[in-house]
Amino acid sequence: MSGAQRRDSGLVVEDRGHVRVLTLDRPERRNALSSAIQADLVEELLRCAESGDVRAIVLTGNGPAFCAGFDLKEIREGDRRGEHFRPPMNRPTRSLFEVVTETPVPIVAAINGAAVAGGFELALACDLRVAAPGVPMGLPEAKIGMGANFGSVVLPKRIPMGIALELLYTGEYVTSEVAERWGLVNHLVPADEVLPTALELAERIAANAPISVRRMKETAVKALELPLWQALRLDVGPNPYLSEDRKEGIAARLEKRPPRWTGR
């Protein structure tokens, strides 16, 4: 993939070296997650997982919002047509948030504007988050009769239980400054520096041994709830200790030169 490609759903896909940039481009709908854009995101993430060239991903939104969550207009139109509504985990397709979490390539969220409802869940599913000041974040699902299934599971794992439950029960927003204090935001930067900072962070990740980075992500995600003795014995994905890149990395360090990673 070379230049930026825009899908009919509104997803823009662009490669910048070993970094793939995925942009939600529905500013008129505040980048709401329609069924079509969810399907395209899942497909692109699966492609990234299969690619040997993609070593980091940046996920962002075009316009004033990062993502306003699920497309409520689309849902209401389905209700009016009498269509049966299935909760996210009861659908024949995989949950977008689940796929984001399980993608072995590290994902950096560049949060340029509001990240609320499913948009906040999407940001939570990413590995790292870069945000502008004053960005509203939260889960208003209790105010509209929705469930926030992913957020209800993940948020209490990210921040203290009492704070997570208050956000879930009240449906109120906090700013990115507060989220940074809680550790939900890695870097808080001026609005015009959000995407460049996320890209620079992704490029630093992509400069490292791809097998090592993938192994670290898969181990960290899958070991999170395991007892220490089980977590230490996880064996997920290719083993970097047995790779050609391990030999190359050591040689490059001793020879004081940049490593030439092959992903093998």
Side-chain angles (χ1 to χ4, degrees), residues 215-249:
R215 174 89 165 198
M216 288 170 179
K217 175 170 180 177
E218 290 198 75
T219 300
V221 170
K222 294 177 180 178
L224 187 61
E225 302 298 325
L226 293 179
L228 179 62
W229 65 271
Q230 285 183 321
L232 288 173
R233 284 162 177 78
L234 275 180
D235 188 14
V236 291
N239 193 327
Y241 295 108
L242 306 177
S243 69
E244 292 300 316
D245 277 352
R246 189 264 302 168
K247 298 176 184 177
E248 166 64 13

Side-chain angles (χ1 to χ4, degrees), residues 1-112:
M1 186 177 299
S2 52
Q5 301 178 13
R6 191 180 193 279
R7 307 286 187 260
D8 291 340
S9 65
L11 179 66
V12 177
V13 183
E14 179 183 6
D15 281 345
R16 302 194 184 189
H18 290 292
V19 176
R20 182 157 294 174
V21 183
L22 303 177
T23 304
L24 306 176
D25 188 24
R26 302 183 72 211
E28 74 286 353
R29 295 289 299 119
R30 297 178 63 79
N31 297 324
L33 295 170
S34 65
S35 298
I37 205 167
Q38 289 180 64
D40 279 348
L41 269 172
V42 168
E43 178 62 29
E44 288 301 332
L45 291 169
L46 294 176
R47 288 180 181 176
C48 290
E50 295 165 355
S51 170
D53 291 329
V54 180
R55 299 179 184 174
I57 300 167
V58 171
L59 178 60
T60 191
N62 181 30
F66 171 71
C67 178
F70 291 115
D71 193 327
L72 298 183
K73 286 187 177 180
E74 181 184 70
I75 294 173
R76 184 174 63 174
E77 288 168 2
D79 290 340
R80 287 174 171 172
R81 290 191 297 268
E83 295 177 2
H84 177 62
F85 182 83
R86 285 193 172 96
M89 300 307 293
N90 291 347
R91 296 171 185 170
T93 55
R94 294 183 66 193
S95 163
L96 167 61
F97 307 139
E98 185 181 21
V99 174
V100 173
T101 302
E102 293 182 357
T103 298
V105 182
I107 304 176
V108 182
I111 306 172
N112 51 301

